[in-house]
């Protein structure tokens, strides 16, 4: 149980690390620009830090939900089947997209003179 909690805390930290880094960078830039703006450097630093955090959190959530989801689905699975599809050149792109969409581990195209 303790190991599970530790890994959960670690994953939560990994989600906000880019948000914190972008919040710091954006707040420095916002505070610098804030000297020329009407609200001053403190307000603009806080506003830009919030924008940087939300942007970084959005990027990390996109990475975890979109890209890492496919990696979790493939975990523990091994390549067991080699599929050879003989089709026309026009259909090759559709076949390749279908294979990638269904989480194939590798796709290769070989052109022949027959088709």
């Amino acid at each position: 149980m303790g190991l599970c909690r530790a890994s959960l805390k670690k994953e939560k930290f990994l989600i906000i690390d880019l948000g914190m880094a972008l919040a710091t960078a954006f707040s420095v830039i916002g505070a610098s620009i804030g000297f020329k703006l009407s609200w001053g450097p403190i307000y603009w630093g806080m506003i830009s830090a919030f924008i940087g955090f939300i942007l970084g959190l959005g990027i990390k959530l996109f990475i975890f939900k979109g890209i890492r989801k496919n990696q979790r689905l493939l975990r523990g699975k091994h390549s067991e089947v080699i599929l050879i599809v003989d089709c026309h050149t026009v259909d090759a792109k559709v076949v390749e997209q279908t294979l990638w969409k269904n989480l194939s581990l590798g796709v290769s195209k070989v052109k022949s003179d027959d088709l």
Side-chain angles (χ1 to χ4, degrees), residues 26-27 30-35 37-51:
F26 276 49
S27 67
S32 299
I33 295 172
F35 281 105
L37 299 175
S38 62
W39 287 357
I42 294 175
Y43 285 124
W44 282 109
M46 291 173 61
I47 291 168
S48 57
F50 178 74
I51 291 169

Side-chain angles (χ1 to χ4, degrees), residues 33-103:
I33 295 172
F35 281 105
K36 296 179 183 177
L37 299 175
S38 62
W39 287 357
I42 294 175
Y43 285 124
W44 282 109
M46 291 173 61
I47 291 168
S48 57
F50 178 74
I51 291 169
F53 180 76
I54 296 299
L55 181 68
L57 187 66
I59 291 170
K60 271 295 196 172
L61 286 176
F62 173 74
I63 290 171
F64 273 120
K65 298 293 180 187
I67 297 172
R68 297 260 171 116
K69 178 182 174 186
N70 291 342
Q71 290 176 351
R72 280 192 297 250
L73 290 175
L74 290 174
R75 187 179 297 147
K77 295 184 179 180
H78 302 287
S79 176
E80 297 177 3
V81 176
I82 296 175
L83 179 66
I84 299 173
V85 179
D86 191 14
C87 63
H88 295 286
T89 309
V90 180
D91 301 329
K93 187 169 185 166
V94 175
V95 171
E96 184 180 3
Q97 288 174 350
T98 304
L99 289 172
W100 282 123
K101 191 187 326 181
N102 288 302
L103 303 175

